[in-house]
Amino acid sequence: MLIRGRLLIDPTRSPELGWLRIESARIAEIGTGDPPRDQPAQTLGGRDCIISPAFTDAHIHLPQIDSAGCDGLPLLPWLESVIFPAEIWWGRGHALSMARTAARRMLREGTFNFAGYLTSHAEINREAVAYLRDKTPLRFIVGRVAMDRNAPDELTAEDRARASSRPVPSPAMASLGSNNNHRISANPRFAVSCTDELLAEIGWWHKEHPEAIIQTHLAESQQECALVSELFPRDPHYTAVYDRANLLTPTTLLAHCVHLSDDEWRLIAQRRSIAVHCPAANIFLTSGLFDYHAALRHDIRLALGSDVAAGADIAMPRVARGYIETAKVRRMTVDPDSPIPTPADAWNRITRENADLLGWPDTGRIETGAAADLLVLRVPETWLDEHIVGRLIYNWSSRLIESRIIAGQAVDPAKL
Ligand SMILES: [Zn+2]
């Protein structure tokens, strides 16, 4: 296969006209200008097309795929009245159809890789993971949610019983994610839903499986932080609760990180854990404005996530826009020195950097030898200038995507 267009190899520079030769699912050759005469039979793209790496979402809840837009509540009441019922619904036999909807929507918006959450039901989640692995081309890290308190019985029973399921990936579930493109993580929901014992059990498990990924939420809303200090009165702060349980590791994804002290930022930096900034969700639930300046000051490893359904939008370019806008609002309000990410920085994060942080350094980039995971974007001719990346972010629509190429194959999300 040959793909022609303006190659978004480095989003800080105007993309130049060129071509990619795809062979055995990889980018075999990159050329500038017009393609060679002996072209392969299948050619995609054209002179008005932008060729971009596909997107990676570092935080999404598949069971919440139809819950976006239920507005008016802050985090904790929203979980209770909108999200827990949706997760119960997933567990009552709807997991496969919801997983399919989520996969279709991600692919439609150009997201080919994600790290996400399922629910706390072991058995049905095994089926959902098998579906994602066998019937979709997505790369993923997913985990069964571990939770044993402060939620309906139907969601906490399995972890309270510690019988039919373990808080950590069971061998049956772990075997579903046996290669690097499909991995099973441990997902303690957050400190509010987990007893000390449950967190400790996951921490001990991680000591035996240091390569495994842990996903959790940290300091999303102030009400949540206050409740955590009531539930864990002996810990000096929220981040220490996870650290005491051995849950702050270089393979830990900490979603939100909105309300953190300097001590907490330092601890996260020291442990090399990854903060996942979910800008749309933070605004939707009025949780707060992520402190990008602090993350930079502390040299935090930073990923971006949609956090569907607290984030109403699954499209990563819109998440990138929220990332820029949150920093702008902070500069206009609380921090006149707040740096503002450029569109190129934001594009890099939703492509290459998110992929690197999730352990997939062979995708999210246009490089010889990288996986041919690409988007062919058809844009108006007038966009083809030095502002192209900002134009893509601020005018994003899935209609811009002409073709989705995953591992060298054109994929149609409607056919999943
Ligand atoms: Zn979340």
Side-chain angles (χ1 to χ4, degrees):
M1 179 194 286
L2 195 109
I3 303 175
R4 301 179 60 194
R6 289 166 200 265
L7 307 178
L8 209 45
I9 294 172
D10 172 1
T12 63
R13 302 192 352 230
S14 291
E16 283 181 32
L17 206 54
W19 50 272
L20 305 173
R21 190 166 55 77
I22 310 299
E23 247 177 51
S24 314
R26 307 243 147 220
I27 300 172
E29 196 181 352
I30 303 174
T32 50
D34 286 325
R37 290 229 177 112
D38 54 334
Q39 293 177 18
Q42 193 184 6
T43 301
L44 297 176
R47 297 181 77 88
D48 292 346
C49 289
I50 302 285
I51 315 301
S52 171
F55 309 127
T56 295
D57 186 345
H59 187 87
I60 181 170
H61 296 257
L62 302 195
Q64 300 177 17
I65 190 64
D66 286 318
S67 303
C70 302
D71 206 353
L73 296 166
L75 174 66
L76 300 177
W78 174 79
L79 283 173
E80 216 159 288
S81 69
V82 178
I83 293 310
F84 293 153
E87 297 195 359
I88 288 171
W89 179 252
W90 166 285
R92 288 186 185 168
H94 302 276
L96 291 191
S97 63
M98 291 168 89
R100 185 164 87 147
T101 302
R104 273 188 182 172
R105 288 193 198 158
M106 277 189 265
L107 289 170
R108 201 166 63 207
E109 298 290 346
T111 295
F112 295 176
N113 321 298
F114 71 93
Y117 289 59
L118 303 170
T119 62
S120 53
H121 312 93
E123 194 46 44
I124 199 153
N125 283 327
R126 234 169 46 75
E127 290 170 32
V129 174
Y131 163 77
L132 291 168
R133 181 195 60 186
D134 299 337
K135 306 285 186 197
T136 81
L138 292 161
R139 290 192 197 204
F140 58 78
I141 298 162
V142 288
R144 174 190 162 276
V145 174
M147 53 197 292
D148 63 351
R149 64 169 166 181
N150 292 326
D153 276 358
E154 214 166 317
L155 296 178
T156 55
E158 293 193 19
D159 280 315
R160 278 187 288 112
R162 304 278 213 284
S164 59
S165 63
R166 310 297 298 167
V168 296
S170 62
M173 192 147 171
S175 68
L176 292 167
S178 48
N179 68 45
N180 189 48
N181 288 353
H182 303 133
R183 279 176 287 160
I184 302 298
S185 55
N187 293 31
R189 177 168 222 122
F190 66 154
V192 173
S193 325
C194 299
T195 55
D196 243 344
E197 295 72 32
L198 184 63
L199 294 174
E201 196 169 340
I202 298 169
W204 282 111
W205 170 82
H206 194 269
K207 284 211 154 168
E208 286 162 23
H209 303 87
E211 72 297 340
I213 293 192
I214 295 170
Q215 305 192 59
T216 191
H217 299 84
L218 172 65
E220 180 173 355
S221 81
Q222 275 171 329
Q223 196 190 5
E224 166 209 0
C225 294
L227 185 51
V228 168
S229 54
E230 265 174 48
L231 293 169
F232 299 89
R234 285 175 313 173
D235 289 299
H237 45 65
Y238 192 162
T239 308
V241 174
Y242 293 147
D243 194 44
R244 186 167 47 77
N246 299 315
L247 295 175
L248 290 191
T249 80
T251 53
T252 300
L253 300 170
L254 298 166
H256 300 288
C257 299
V258 176
H259 303 283
L260 296 178
S261 63
D262 265 356
D263 281 351
E264 292 177 279
W265 280 121
R266 268 194 292 276
L267 184 55
I268 293 167
Q270 212 180 337
R271 300 283 183 261
R272 301 195 65 250
S273 300
I274 297 160
V276 186
H277 176 15
C278 304
N282 294 339
I283 289 173
F284 181 75
L285 296 175
T286 58
S287 297
L289 298 170
F290 178 84
D291 189 350
Y292 173 60
H293 199 176
L296 282 186
R297 257 195 332 263
H298 292 278
D299 202 15
I300 297 292
R301 300 165 75 209
L302 183 63
L304 290 181
S306 68
D307 195 18
V308 162
D313 211 317
I314 204 165
M316 289 309 290
R318 296 218 186 90
V319 174
R321 174 177 175 168
Y323 163 58
I324 297 169
E325 289 180 341
T326 297
K328 286 184 176 176
V329 172
R330 282 192 66 90
R331 182 186 283 188
M332 292 186 290
T333 54
V334 291
D335 179 7
D337 300 323
S338 177
I340 294 170
T342 61
D345 171 47
W347 200 264
N348 255 331
R349 284 199 195 274
I350 62 174
T351 55
R352 174 190 293 260
E353 287 174 36
N354 266 7
D356 283 345
L357 289 166
L358 299 191
W360 294 313
D362 66 321
T363 188
R365 67 211 67 215
I366 296 176
E367 267 174 29
T368 309
D373 295 339
L374 301 161
L375 301 172
V376 177
L377 308 172
R378 190 162 293 270
V379 302
E381 212 179 324
T382 49
W383 287 15
L384 296 170
D385 60 12
E386 73 275 22
H387 295 294
I388 179 65
V389 177
R391 293 177 189 274
L392 289 172
I393 287 174
Y394 285 89
N395 297 283
W396 181 257
S397 157
S398 61
R399 284 191 296 260
L400 294 170
I401 307 180
E402 186 171 271
S403 309
R404 297 155 183 84
I405 317 294
I406 305 188
Q409 303 287 326
V411 169
D412 179 356
K415 294 205 173 128
L416 275 193

